[in-house]
Amino acid sequence: MLTHVGTQEIKTERLLLRRFKPEDAKTMFETWANDERVTRFLTWEPHGTLDVTEYIIDLWIKDYEKESNYQWAIEFDGKLIGSIGCVETNERDECGEIGYCIGHDYWGKGIMSEAAKAVIDFLFREVKLHRIEILHATQNPASGKVAQKCGLTYEGTKREHFKSASGEFLDIAMYSILRSEWESNR
């Protein structure tokens, strides 16, 4: 049985993972939400206007009322640079899927791996998940590297499983880590 505690602040060596605030909209829009390089393999298109970003953040803030909601803003050097969350939770099977975005200027610096490790630790330790998954488009191998750095195991590829916002059908690689594996690597 899962123990939901809601989105709580997490600090790592370089990062602060926190709840979104209304004043984050402009930075989110400028840093990643309107960037085609960031959204290319996602379900949503780049935000065309700041209003779209404000609307999304408003939804996320309202969702914080649910203890089963896990959506973090990622701060690096005091600046909002991305987001990470448990985008899907299966209560019956006690598993969750992590999804993330980060501004292009921050790619390749180990930031997302650091954030994902912290979220994985939180979800196993606090929420008591049994299994955590990360799925990514095979055309985005950097996302697979994040999963590997976090100790997840490649399980296979679902062929043309995902339709991107641009209408392209993409192969999706699946990685996972079990609670027992996480515990043995601590």
Side-chain angles (χ1 to χ4, degrees):
M1 182 170 195
L2 300 181
T3 307
H4 289 295
V5 296
T7 304
Q8 297 182 15
E9 191 173 280
I10 302 171
K11 292 181 182 177
T12 71
E13 185 177 326
R14 300 182 295 167
L15 308 175
L16 172 64
L17 307 182
R18 59 161 176 84
R19 290 180 175 207
F20 277 91
K21 303 177 282 195
E23 56 268 27
D24 291 329
K26 186 174 186 293
T27 303
M28 177 176 163
F29 178 77
E30 293 171 351
T31 306
W32 79 91
N34 74 341
D35 189 335
E36 292 178 358
R37 296 169 296 186
V38 175
T39 64
R40 179 173 174 211
F41 302 112
L42 303 178
T43 57
W44 49 277
E45 294 181 354
H47 295 180
T49 66
L50 179 58
D51 291 345
V52 175
T53 307
E54 290 171 338
Y55 174 76
I56 295 299
I57 286 182
D58 186 54
L59 290 176
W60 287 346
I61 290 170
K62 287 177 182 166
D63 279 345
Y64 288 138
E65 295 173 15
K66 302 174 198 164
E67 286 191 333
S68 61
N69 176 270
Y70 303 101
Q71 179 69 38
W72 289 272
I74 302 170
E75 277 190 20
F76 175 69
D77 285 340
K79 180 177 177 170
L80 176 67
I81 63 162
S83 67
I84 186 167
C86 189
V87 296
E88 198 170 308
T89 305
N90 180 319
E91 296 283 335
R92 184 190 166 284
D93 297 327
E94 300 177 7
C95 67
E97 177 188 341
I98 296 175
Y100 40 79
C101 290
I102 192 169
H104 183 265
D105 291 347
Y106 301 94
W107 290 4
K109 299 178 184 331
I111 293 169
M112 192 51 72
S113 298
E114 186 174 331
K117 284 178 186 175
V119 168
I120 288 167
D121 288 348
F122 176 87
L123 293 172
F124 278 134
R125 189 179 58 251
E126 302 297 331
V127 184
K128 312 294 188 222
L129 287 179
H130 171 73
R131 171 188 167 96
I132 296 174
E133 301 173 346
I134 292 177
L135 284 71
H136 73 89
T138 57
Q139 293 167 293
N140 183 13
S143 194
K145 288 180 183 173
V146 169
Q148 292 166 8
K149 287 180 183 177
C150 292
L152 281 74
T153 301
Y154 171 73
E155 292 189 336
T157 298
K158 298 177 178 187
R159 299 177 308 137
E160 296 188 6
H161 177 75
F162 177 80
K163 188 176 181 180
S164 71
S166 67
E168 182 181 10
F169 286 96
L170 303 172
D171 293 349
I172 298 297
M174 177 183 277
Y175 291 79
S176 74
I177 185 168
L178 305 176
R179 169 182 285 286
S180 59
E181 295 166 335
W182 172 77
E183 288 173 342
S184 68
N185 289 328
R186 296 186 74 217

